[in-house]
Amino acid sequence: MEDVKSKWKKMNEDFIQFLIFEKGASPNTLNAYKNDIKQLSDFCVGMKLCPESIKFEHMLDFSEKMAESGLKRASLSRKVSSINHFFSFLKNNEIIQFNPASDLVVSRSKRTLPSPLSIDEIEKIFKTIGEKTPENVRDRAIFELIYSSGLRVSEICSMKFNSLMWDEQLVRITGKGNKERLIPFGDCAALALKKYLEAARPKLLNGKKDSDKVFLSSRGRPISRQMIWIRLKRAAKEAGIRKDIHPHTLRHSFATHLLKGGADLRAVQELLGHSSISTTQIYTELDRDTLKEILKTCHPREKMNE
């Protein structure tokens, strides 16, 4: 048993090193791969299976076990993809002769996204936050920036001072896959960010050793994704909004509002940092009232009845 464990541990470590140095995987991507491969390792160690002993039938058993655990189809698809990459790595390094997961398929499910907030709901959140405390000023700057530029929460957390270009009102972002892009931010976000940097950040730092990160926690350390999520949830609740909200909701609202306002899909793709236009197209979903209005105002038969 120990020999099987040690083999899995060694191969898992080699794969993670490959992702870091060859693929430049982000910390979030690495954590996902680590969790997925560990689940596979635990399953195989329990069956006393070394990587070179695994067959397609074993992968079917693993997939079924994951599905029975209540894992959603999208999450299961991601795990299958991770495992496929892992076995491809082993095959390319001649550790195994074939990829036992190459024919493993999870039927695709419809991609779902949180419902966007209305402009009125966003204004309610900003108004509720206020500027009474340094944390409030910081939260306002973070949420204004996400809604103004469509940034990911991970991009907010990792933002450094040297990425801000004040004269052009741009921010340099290194997103998924280490892809760099320059994103503009609006006047409201610029004003909120300036207030935070001048009035709130020094109080949050409170004499502690400074960081090159822009946004700090109440302890003067770089803020975490979890804390941003908690603060947004709290602000939305105080604003009387009962939707399931997290930071990506603001990013989703940014894209949806731009497209409804007539923005070009390719421009929104560039702003969001999507590698494929098909990913951006999911933001074009319109509510039924909007579709009804389009039908009423644009269809020739409807116009005849006016």
Side-chain angles (χ1 to χ4, degrees):
M1 178 71 75
E2 190 60 40
D3 185 49
V4 174
K5 281 185 178 180
S6 61
K7 277 189 175 183
W8 274 103
K9 183 179 179 182
K10 174 67 167 58
M11 292 179 187
N12 290 356
E13 289 173 351
D14 289 346
F15 179 56
I16 295 301
Q17 292 299 307
F18 165 76
L19 292 175
I20 294 172
F21 295 109
E22 297 293 331
K23 296 296 184 180
S26 68
N28 291 340
T29 300
L30 288 174
N31 286 334
Y33 271 109
K34 285 178 182 178
N35 291 334
D36 295 341
I37 303 306
K38 185 180 186 304
Q39 283 188 317
L40 174 68
S41 301
D42 292 344
F43 173 80
C44 293
V45 168
M47 297 183 67
K48 300 181 181 179
L49 288 170
C50 292
E52 59 267 29
S53 304
I54 296 176
K55 298 179 180 179
F56 176 67
E57 290 76 13
H58 300 131
M59 288 297 92
L60 280 178
D61 290 341
F62 175 75
S63 178
E64 288 176 3
K65 183 178 180 181
M66 291 297 100
E68 290 171 359
S69 70
L71 202 64
K72 291 183 179 179
R73 202 173 290 271
S75 299
L76 183 57
S77 295
R78 196 207 69 240
K79 287 185 183 295
V80 169
S81 176
S82 298
I83 291 165
N84 233 314
H85 282 107
F86 173 68
F87 282 124
S88 293
F89 165 77
L90 297 184
K91 184 175 182 292
N92 291 337
N93 284 274
E94 299 181 347
I95 296 172
I96 59 176
Q97 294 183 345
F98 68 97
N99 179 350
S102 60
D103 294 327
L104 195 62
V105 176
V106 177
S107 59
R108 297 188 66 179
S109 58
K110 182 181 179 181
R111 285 181 290 188
T112 57
L113 284 169
S115 299
L117 295 169
S118 67
I119 296 173
D120 182 57
E121 287 172 329
I122 286 175
E123 290 299 330
K124 282 182 179 178
I125 290 175
F126 290 160
K127 186 176 180 180
T128 299
I129 293 171
E131 298 179 353
K132 291 182 180 179
T133 68
E135 288 84 1
N136 291 149
V137 178
R138 176 206 59 205
D139 294 347
R140 177 68 180 265
I142 289 174
F143 302 149
E144 287 273 16
L145 200 52
I146 295 176
Y147 179 59
S148 176
S149 302
L151 301 180
R152 299 179 177 93
V153 68
S154 59
E155 294 167 347
I156 288 286
C157 294
S158 62
M159 186 182 296
K160 299 180 180 180
F161 281 105
N162 61 11
S163 65
L164 291 170
M165 303 165 67
W166 282 104
D167 291 342
E168 296 89 350
Q169 219 160 283
L170 296 170
V171 59
R172 182 183 291 105
I173 293 297
T174 302
K176 289 185 176 181
N178 285 327
K179 293 179 181 178
E180 189 176 277
R181 66 191 197 278
L182 287 174
I183 303 298
F185 53 91
D187 292 340
C188 291
L191 179 61
L193 186 56
K194 186 177 181 181
K195 285 183 179 179
Y196 162 70
L197 293 176
E198 291 179 353
R201 193 178 188 278
K203 293 179 182 178
L204 293 174
L205 194 60
N206 195 23
K208 298 184 180 68
K209 184 177 179 181
D210 204 350
S211 165
D212 61 349
K213 298 293 192 331
V214 172
F215 293 106
L216 303 178
S217 70
S218 57
R219 296 183 179 182
R221 300 170 183 169
I223 197 167
S224 67
R225 292 183 300 161
Q226 291 82 1
M227 181 53 63
I228 294 176
W229 182 84
I230 290 170
R231 299 289 294 189
L232 180 58
K233 281 268 190 183
R234 183 181 301 170
K237 185 177 180 180
E238 290 176 359
I241 298 170
R242 298 292 176 253
K243 293 179 181 178
D244 183 22
I245 292 175
H246 47 77
H248 187 81
T249 308
L250 292 177
R251 175 172 157 92
H252 182 48
S253 302
F254 158 82
T256 304
H257 294 168
L258 278 184
L259 289 168
K260 285 188 175 182
D264 179 74
L265 189 62
R266 291 285 181 184
V268 177
Q269 177 193 1
E270 182 69 22
L271 289 168
L272 292 173
H274 289 160
S275 57
S276 171
I277 193 71
S278 63
T279 306
T280 314
Q281 285 173 332
I282 57 180
Y283 289 93
T284 61
E285 297 173 358
L286 300 174
D287 56 45
R288 290 181 180 177
D289 290 338
T290 303
L291 292 174
K292 288 179 181 178
E293 187 62 28
I294 291 173
L295 177 65
K296 184 177 180 180
T297 58
C298 299
H299 195 282
R301 294 288 291 173
E302 293 295 324
K303 287 183 177 181
M304 289 172 61
N305 293 325
E306 290 180 356

